[in-house]
């Protein structure tokens, strides 16, 4: 399976690619992807966990024990636990959030999907997300998995990022463009 060279060129991309290859070999890609998504949400939701993975003063053994405990609490698979142990042993836990994103991109590409990061001023309803996914599928020619974010500073509209392409139809950007045009 060929991965995007942009992803695999980075440190986190190489780790994510190696994990994907191993998970694919063991027919556990969906399990590992779910584990990493759960772990990513735990990192976002816990300031203590985020501080733990970024603290360089915590030794390898202590970090390994801590992330193993977190993995047990979250009910992660053995493959994911072992991977976290490797990250702790190599002092690479700080790049875990980027590894989670890279793995999701690699897994989506393997399924023939693209991931669209959609930011809106207000939370989108399930109907709106479904309609947006259909429009993006027609535009991209592939299934689109949407990751929705909310940023009230947009005021309205959407910012859609698919890979390196960004479609910005936010009111904030339109107002900024209008202000620039009025300046001359």
């Amino acid at each position: 399976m060929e991965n995007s060279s942009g992803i695999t060129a980075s440190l986190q991309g190489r780790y994510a690619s190696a994990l994907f290859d191993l998970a694919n070999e063991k027919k556990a890609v969906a399990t590992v992807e779910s584990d990493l998504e759960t772990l990513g949400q735990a990192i976002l939701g816990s300031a203590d966990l985020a501080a733990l993975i970024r603290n360089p003063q915590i030794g390898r053994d202590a970090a390994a024990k801590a992330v193993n405990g977190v993995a047990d609490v979250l009910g992660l698979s053995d493959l994911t636990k072992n991977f976290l142990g490797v990250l702790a042993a190599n002092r690479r836990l700080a790049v875990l959030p980027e590894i989670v994103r890279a793995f999701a991109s690699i897994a989506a590409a393997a399924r023939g999907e693209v991931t669209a990061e959609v930011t809106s001023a207000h939370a989108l309803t399930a109907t709106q997300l479904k309609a947006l996914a259909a429009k993006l599928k027609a535009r991209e020619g592939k299934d689109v998995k949407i990751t929705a974010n909310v940023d009230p500073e947009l005021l309205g509209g959407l910012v859609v990022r698919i890979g390196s392409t960004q479609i910005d139809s936010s009111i904030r950007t339109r107002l900024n463009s209008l202000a620039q045009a009025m300046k001359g």
Side-chain angles (χ1 to χ4, degrees):
M1 126 111 226
E2 178 148 343
N3 293 318
S4 166
S5 62
I7 291 174
T8 57
S10 65
L11 172 74
Q12 58 270 21
R14 290 191 303 271
Y15 275 100
S17 181
L19 178 60
F20 178 83
D21 290 343
L22 188 59
N24 196 32
E25 182 181 301
K26 294 185 181 274
K27 308 279 189 249
V29 172
T31 301
V32 172
E33 188 173 16
S34 175
D35 286 351
L36 291 179
E37 189 173 310
T38 300
L39 189 58
Q41 290 300 320
I43 292 168
L44 287 174
S46 171
D48 291 337
L49 180 56
L52 168 78
I53 66 171
R54 289 183 175 79
N55 189 340
Q57 295 177 333
I58 296 176
R60 295 170 198 246
D61 292 337
K65 285 179 185 173
V67 293
N68 193 39
V70 168
D72 286 341
V73 168
L74 294 176
L76 304 183
S77 68
D78 289 340
L79 180 59
T80 305
K81 284 182 195 178
N82 292 340
F83 178 72
L84 292 173
V86 168
L87 289 180
N90 293 333
R91 301 190 66 79
R92 300 289 189 229
L93 286 173
V95 295
L96 187 55
E98 291 84 3
I99 292 171
V100 170
R101 283 192 292 276
F103 187 92
S105 295
I106 293 168
R111 289 190 300 269
E113 292 178 349
V114 293
T115 301
E117 191 172 316
V118 177
T119 306
S120 59
H122 304 285
L124 298 175
T125 65
T127 305
Q128 290 170 322
L129 288 171
K130 188 175 179 181
L132 181 59
K135 287 185 186 235
L136 291 174
K137 180 178 180 175
R139 181 182 187 276
E140 294 295 315
K142 295 180 180 179
D143 287 333
V144 178
K145 180 180 176 187
I146 294 179
T147 304
N149 300 308
V150 175
D151 180 3
E153 292 183 14
L154 292 180
L155 304 176
L158 299 172
V159 177
V160 180
R161 179 180 293 277
I162 301 174
S164 62
T165 305
Q166 180 170 308
I167 305 164
D168 189 342
S169 65
S170 66
I171 293 176
R172 176 181 63 189
T173 299
R174 291 180 186 176
L175 289 174
N176 288 342
S177 297
L178 182 60
Q180 290 295 337
M182 291 173 64
K183 287 181 183 177

